[in-house]
Amino acid sequence: MTRYILIFIAFVISGCSSLSPRSNADWVGYKESGKASYYANSHQSKKTASGELYKQELKTGAHKVLPFGSLVKVTNTDTGKTVTVKINDRGPFVKGRVIDLSKSAFSEIGSISNGVIDVQIEVIE
């Protein structure tokens, strides 16, 4: 009997979580500033966290928490150039970096030879 009571209590507690996943719409307008880098060539055709294959010619990015499929406007704060990317991976895991971009997305707003640029990101969809 005690076992059933404990199972019932665990079931009730698990349903009372105050954390609920945010939908993409809840993130619209979210802004963050920091550094952006780009994926090395060695990542080409490897699986991302979303299950999609990384393709350097597509406009994609990695963020630690934004939902997969989110569209994010990335602005180079030095030049004002922008690119819109779809989040399909997790990362970056380097302090100060807020987004990893596909090579083609990075090259639209910055020089590949720089490797890292200052950006502001904004979720637009």
Side-chain angles (χ1 to χ4, degrees):
M1 182 67 159
T2 304
R3 186 173 89 193
Y4 292 114
I5 293 172
L6 291 176
I7 291 172
F8 176 75
I9 291 171
F11 179 74
V12 170
I13 290 173
S14 68
C16 295
S17 174
S18 63
L19 296 176
S20 60
R22 294 171 69 175
S23 73
N24 287 21
D26 292 337
W27 287 96
V28 172
Y30 172 81
K31 294 180 181 180
E32 188 176 2
S33 295
K35 299 204 177 286
S37 53
Y38 67 93
Y39 286 82
N41 290 336
S42 61
H43 291 276
Q44 181 69 6
S45 299
K46 292 190 177 170
K47 197 177 276 192
T48 64
S50 70
E52 295 177 15
L53 296 181
Y54 168 70
K55 304 251 186 240
Q56 64 186 4
E57 65 274 7
L58 300 178
K59 305 296 188 268
T60 58
H63 191 272
K64 291 177 198 142
V65 297
L66 291 177
F68 295 137
S70 297
L71 294 182
V72 176
K73 181 173 83 169
V74 183
T75 304
N76 180 328
T77 57
D78 291 334
T79 66
K81 291 181 179 180
T82 66
V83 66
T84 299
V85 300
K86 180 179 88 169
I87 300 299
N88 72 344
D89 203 7
R90 291 291 173 234
F93 300 107
V94 175
K95 186 177 181 176
R97 295 195 190 167
V98 296
I99 196 164
D100 276 335
L101 300 172
S102 63
K103 195 171 188 179
S104 65
F106 189 96
S107 66
E108 275 200 23
I109 62 171
S111 172
I112 296 294
S113 62
N114 289 343
V116 177
I117 57 175
D118 292 316
V119 296
Q120 178 176 327
I121 67 170
E122 179 180 1
V123 177
I124 58 173
E125 187 178 316

